[in-house]
């Protein structure tokens, strides 16, 4: 019997392996898998050089047109240059690549990429350089010199970003100033080539630390709702500002940049819906825009997801893989056996050279929409294994945290509010303008937070709510401050009688184990700290 079971298991394993191999073989030849399964992230393969680049067009009116080049020679970057908006056409960037050690004496490799209507070699500046023309105004400068000094300048990765406001934030990458010359047929967003020379260097994560005065400031930015391209404003206030012209992403990012320069926070927590999936057919371009404003200022940032982040071109996992590799990112996917993507902690070290944690931030994925709409309408909830992970992590750190010479403190961040946010009997500080869209099912995460002595939790999601609500313990003593960040982005809804976008700050003073919180506005009383309040004193939640 045992031999029969073992033999059957071996046969099934071999059959499954053969099926997977056949599927991958067919996909490599004929692309039988959907585009969403293909790697959407840029083409980087250590040790490979780009030897050629071209653009292919497909037309729905011609049965003879094909965008699929020989897969043994060409790799297609899975981004339609028209972003699905071409009336009858699609267009794709294709690259050839080769291992450095496999280059023959006759093999060329790409040194530089430009987009121009004219030959770049015809200008005095580039006189004598040989450029090869490709479709859409693409020009390549190539070389056959195989000396190490030349190969270090070889192009090793190519990608496409979209929008007049596209930015490149990856180390060693260069974004072209001129978009591909695709023509006007169905074109909505500018498609721009970006490329990297050499291999990616190691990306070390920054280590947040209390300032020398024992203080630390966190900016919580929620619901930016960034698009591919500049985006359209929804219910901007004041409505007639700038003659009624409002570019959503430009205004959102300018607002946040102003506060970064004014407040100079030590850490940014981005608590979901950074990307407005419905208007982000290339989510990567939107991600890079929010990352840039923190990278330029060398401010570490940590993200969690909202219900709209993965409604564009990238899944939660793909987005997190991308963000994890960016400079100054503290973001992590978290344990793979726990529900959601982005369950992790950020430890803020004590001042000086201490290796002890002074402050722990718990960041959790609150998912998207209810998996059981019939029984529990609306939104999803924190799952039991997430809560167990939080409890186990918090308990495992307690002994180590007790070694800190001051009072160690814990905070938490999520996107979708907890059911307890609905309790109107709680003490409220701030605006309750819309019904909290918390899950219909209560998985008791608020209770778990209080049991592990987390002092405050802050969320996003409901854009025009910006209050903090004080949840009590069973003995009626102050237990947990539950706050909203307020919506910051003009690409998301506003309304409700004239709502000004805002963000929340947490000022932490470890000398007194005190947390103070307040909001700052995009319009109106822009210099004022709105609803400033002390929520923790001496490491204890205070009313």
């Amino acid at each position: 019997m045992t031999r029969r079971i073992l033999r059957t298991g071996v046969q099934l394993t071999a059959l499954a392996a053969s099926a997977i191999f056949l599927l991958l073989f067919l996909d490599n030849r004929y692309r039988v898998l959907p585009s969403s399964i293909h790697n959407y992230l840029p083409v980087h393969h250590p040790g490979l050089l780009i030897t050629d680049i071209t653009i292919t067009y497909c037309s729905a009116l011609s049965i003879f047109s094909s965008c699929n080049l020989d897969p043994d020679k060409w790799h297609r970057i899975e981004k339609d240059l028209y972003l699905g908006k071409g009336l009858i056409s699609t267009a794709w960037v294709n690259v050839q690549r080769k291992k450095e050690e496999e280059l023959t004496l006759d093999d060329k490799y790409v040194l530089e990429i430009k987009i121009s209507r004219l030959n770049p070699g015809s200008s005095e500046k580039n006189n004598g350089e040989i450029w090869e023309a490709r479709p859409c105004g693409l020009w390549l400068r190539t070389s056959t010199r195989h000396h190490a000094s030349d190969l270090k300048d070889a192009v090793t990765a190519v990608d496409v970003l979209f929008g007049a406001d596209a930015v490149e934030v990856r180390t060693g990458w260069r974004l072209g100033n001129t978009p591909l010359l695709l023509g006007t047929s169905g074109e909505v967003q500018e498609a721009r080539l970006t490329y990297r020379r050499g291999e990616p260097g190691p990306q070390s994560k920054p280590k947040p630390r209390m300032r020398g005065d024992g203080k630390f400031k966190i900016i919580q930015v929620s619901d930016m709702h960034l698009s591919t391209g500049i985006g359209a404003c929804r219910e901007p206030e004041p409505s007639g500002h700038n003659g009624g012209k409002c570019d959503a992403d430009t205004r959102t990012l300018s607002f946040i940049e102003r506060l970064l320069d004014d407040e100079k926070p030590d850490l940014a927590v981005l608590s979901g819906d950074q990307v407005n999936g419905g208007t982000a057919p290339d989510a990567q371009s939107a991600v890079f825009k929010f990352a840039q404003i923190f990278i330029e200022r060398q401010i570490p940032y940590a993200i969690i997801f909202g219900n709209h982040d993965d409604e564009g071109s990238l899944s939660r996992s793909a987005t997190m893989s991308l963000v994890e590799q960016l400079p100054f990112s503290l973001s992590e996917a978290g344990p793979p056996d726990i529900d959601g993507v982005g369950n992790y902690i950020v430890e803020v070290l004590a001042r000086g050279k201490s290796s002890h944690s002074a402050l722990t931030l718990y960041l959790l994925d609150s998912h998207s929409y209810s998996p059981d709409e019939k029984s529990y309408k609306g939104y999803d909830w924190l799952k039991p294994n997430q809560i167990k992970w939080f409890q186990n992590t918090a308990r495992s750190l307690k002994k180590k945290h007790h070694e800190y010479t001051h009072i160690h403190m814990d905070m938490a961040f999520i996107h979708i509010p907890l059911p307890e946010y609905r309790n109107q009997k709680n003490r409220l500080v701030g605006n309750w303008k819309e019904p909290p869209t918390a899950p219909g099912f209560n998985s008791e995460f608020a209770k778990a937070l209080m049991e592990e002595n987390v002092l405050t939790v802050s969320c996003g999601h409901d854009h025009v709510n910006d209050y903090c609500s004080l949840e009590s313990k069973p003995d009626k003593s102050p237990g947990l401050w539950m706050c909203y960040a307020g919506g910051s982005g003009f690409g998301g809804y506003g309304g409700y009688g004239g709502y000004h976008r805002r963000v929340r700050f947490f000022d932490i003073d470890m000398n007194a184990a005190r947390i103070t919180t307040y909001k700052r506005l995009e319009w109106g009383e822009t210099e004022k700290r709105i609803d400033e309040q002390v929520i923790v004193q001496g490491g204890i939640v205070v009313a």
Side-chain angles (χ1 to χ4, degrees):
M1 177 63 73
T2 302
R3 289 184 178 180
R4 186 180 303 170
I5 293 173
L6 181 62
R7 185 169 60 251
T8 301
V10 171
Q11 291 172 340
L12 288 174
T13 302
L15 181 62
S18 301
I20 292 171
F21 176 80
L22 178 61
L23 184 62
L24 293 175
F25 175 79
L26 292 173
D27 182 63
N28 186 51
R29 291 275 181 177
Y30 307 110
R31 295 187 181 275
V32 298
L33 293 173
S35 295
S36 60
I37 294 179
H38 289 128
N39 180 12
Y40 197 91
L41 299 180
V43 186
H44 22 162
H45 296 263
L48 292 176
L49 307 181
I50 303 299
T51 58
D52 201 357
I53 309 172
T54 193
I55 312 294
T56 54
Y57 285 93
C58 304
S59 171
L61 299 180
S62 173
I63 61 173
F64 299 105
S65 68
S66 173
C67 287
N68 295 329
L69 301 178
D70 184 349
D72 290 333
K73 297 180 179 179
W74 292 92
H75 178 92
R76 190 171 86 179
I77 299 175
E78 293 298 331
K79 294 187 178 184
D80 174 15
L81 299 180
Y82 292 118
L83 291 175
K85 300 294 184 180
L87 297 178
I88 58 173
S89 302
T90 60
W92 309 86
V93 174
N94 300 266
V95 299
Q96 280 189 356
R97 58 203 184 192
K98 204 166 189 179
K99 291 182 179 179
E100 182 179 327
E101 61 269 21
E102 294 177 356
L103 290 174
T104 68
L105 293 177
D106 296 325
D107 280 334
K108 298 178 181 179
Y109 55 89
V110 178
L111 284 173
E112 194 171 357
I113 300 168
K114 286 189 177 181
I115 309 298
S116 175
R117 296 187 185 278
L118 302 176
N119 185 340
S122 62
S123 68
E124 289 186 12
K125 182 179 178 181
N126 297 320
N127 189 31
E129 292 180 350
I130 305 300
W131 291 80
E132 300 178 16
R134 299 292 185 269
C136 303
L138 172 61
W139 293 85
L140 306 178
R141 184 165 69 89
T142 61
S143 176
T144 56
R145 294 168 59 90
H146 294 174
H147 298 296
S149 58
D150 299 302
L151 287 169
K152 68 180 177 57
D153 293 325
V155 173
T156 55
V158 176
D159 199 2
V160 187
L161 297 174
F162 295 85
D165 60 345
V167 294
E168 177 60 87
V169 296
R170 292 168 293 186
T171 303
W173 286 75
R174 178 182 299 180
L175 179 66
N177 294 324
T178 306
L180 288 165
L181 307 179
L182 293 170
T184 58
S185 175
E187 185 178 356
V188 176
Q189 299 294 346
E190 297 177 347
R192 297 171 179 268
L193 283 188
T194 178
Y195 63 94
R196 187 193 68 213
R197 287 192 175 112
E199 297 306 326
Q203 195 69 57
S204 60
K205 287 185 180 293
K207 294 182 178 180
R209 183 180 293 278
M210 292 289 160
R211 299 195 300 259
D213 60 1
K215 296 180 180 180
F216 195 82
K217 183 181 290 187
I218 298 172
I219 180 175
Q220 182 191 358
V221 182
S222 197
D223 297 275
M224 285 189 278
H225 285 269
L226 300 177
S227 300
T228 304
I230 58 177
C233 289
R234 294 181 60 185
E235 295 123 4
E237 288 291 338
S239 57
H241 174 63
N242 196 31
K245 176 177 172 54
C246 181
D247 296 330
D249 291 7
T250 304
R251 191 166 169 184
T252 297
L253 294 169
S254 295
F255 163 48
I256 299 169
E257 285 182 292
R258 171 169 61 82
L259 292 184
L260 295 178
D261 295 336
D262 190 17
E263 295 272 355
K264 294 179 172 51
D266 302 290
L267 172 68
V269 173
L270 313 183
S271 54
D273 285 355
Q274 288 78 241
V275 176
N276 192 55
T279 59
D282 183 59
Q284 182 182 1
S285 296
V287 167
F288 284 3
K289 288 192 291 187
F290 76 68
Q292 183 196 40
I293 65 176
F294 302 105
I295 293 170
E296 283 185 340
R297 293 163 177 80
Q298 300 184 5
I299 298 173
Y301 57 97
I303 74 164
I304 50 178
F305 294 119
N307 50 296
H308 293 295
D309 285 296
D310 57 356
E311 293 177 341
S313 59
L314 292 179
S315 67
R316 273 166 147 75
S317 295
T319 302
M320 188 60 84
S321 295
L322 185 67
V323 176
E324 282 178 323
Q325 301 170 34
L326 298 181
F328 293 94
S329 173
L330 299 172
S331 310
E332 295 181 17
D337 57 339
I338 303 298
D339 282 310
V341 178
N343 302 296
Y344 62 106
I345 66 170
V346 172
E347 296 272 38
V348 180
L349 300 179
R351 61 184 170 183
K353 297 182 179 180
S354 173
S355 60
H356 293 300
S357 168
L359 175 72
T360 301
L361 309 182
Y362 293 90
L363 299 100
L364 293 97
D365 184 358
S366 54
H367 313 290
S368 293
Y369 305 100
S370 173
D372 185 1
E373 186 67 24
K374 184 177 180 180
S375 301
Y376 305 102
K377 294 184 181 301
Y379 293 93
D380 208 344
W381 48 88
L382 275 295
K383 299 299 190 287
N385 64 6
Q386 290 178 281
I387 298 173
K388 192 67 177 176
W389 166 82
F390 157 73
Q391 292 170 323
N392 290 341
T393 303
R395 291 165 188 171
S396 69
L397 292 172
K398 284 194 186 306
K399 182 179 179 181
K400 190 174 182 181
H401 289 166
H402 281 313
E403 297 173 1
Y404 176 50
T405 56
H406 292 61
I407 298 174
H408 183 279
M409 296 193 291
D410 295 324
M411 303 172 66
F413 293 90
I414 53 178
H415 179 71
I416 296 172
L418 303 174
E420 287 79 4
Y421 275 73
R422 294 194 185 103
N423 190 350
Q424 291 183 293
K425 295 181 180 180
N426 284 350
R427 184 193 170 199
L428 301 178
V429 179
N431 297 293
W432 178 316
K433 286 196 170 187
E434 61 175 312
T437 53
F441 177 77
N442 192 339
S443 58
E444 304 288 343
F445 186 51
K447 179 181 177 183
L449 289 171
M450 288 188 283
E451 287 175 348
E452 301 306 327
N453 200 35
V454 172
L455 306 169
T456 178
V457 60
S458 199
C459 72
H461 191 58
D462 298 328
H463 299 185
V464 301
N465 286 339
D466 72 352
Y467 61 82
C468 286
S469 170
L470 180 56
E471 184 74 6
S472 297
K473 294 180 180 178
D475 64 3
K476 306 301 181 184
S477 63
L480 177 71
W481 275 106
M482 305 179 298
C483 297
Y484 276 106
S488 66
F490 285 84
Y493 71 86
Y496 288 82
Y499 175 80
H500 297 305
R501 270 64 177 186
R502 61 201 63 201
V503 302
R504 180 172 289 278
F505 287 90
F506 293 93
D507 261 345
I508 296 139
D509 184 348
M510 298 308 298
N511 304 297
R514 180 172 57 241
I515 301 177
T516 305
T517 189
Y518 55 91
K519 287 103 56 177
R520 293 284 302 271
L521 303 183
E522 192 271 342
W523 189 267
E525 297 180 296
T526 58
E527 301 300 319
K528 183 178 178 181
R529 292 184 169 195
I530 306 297
D531 295 325
E532 185 172 11
Q533 61 176 134
V534 175
I535 57 177
V536 175
Q537 182 70 48
I540 298 172
V541 175
V542 294

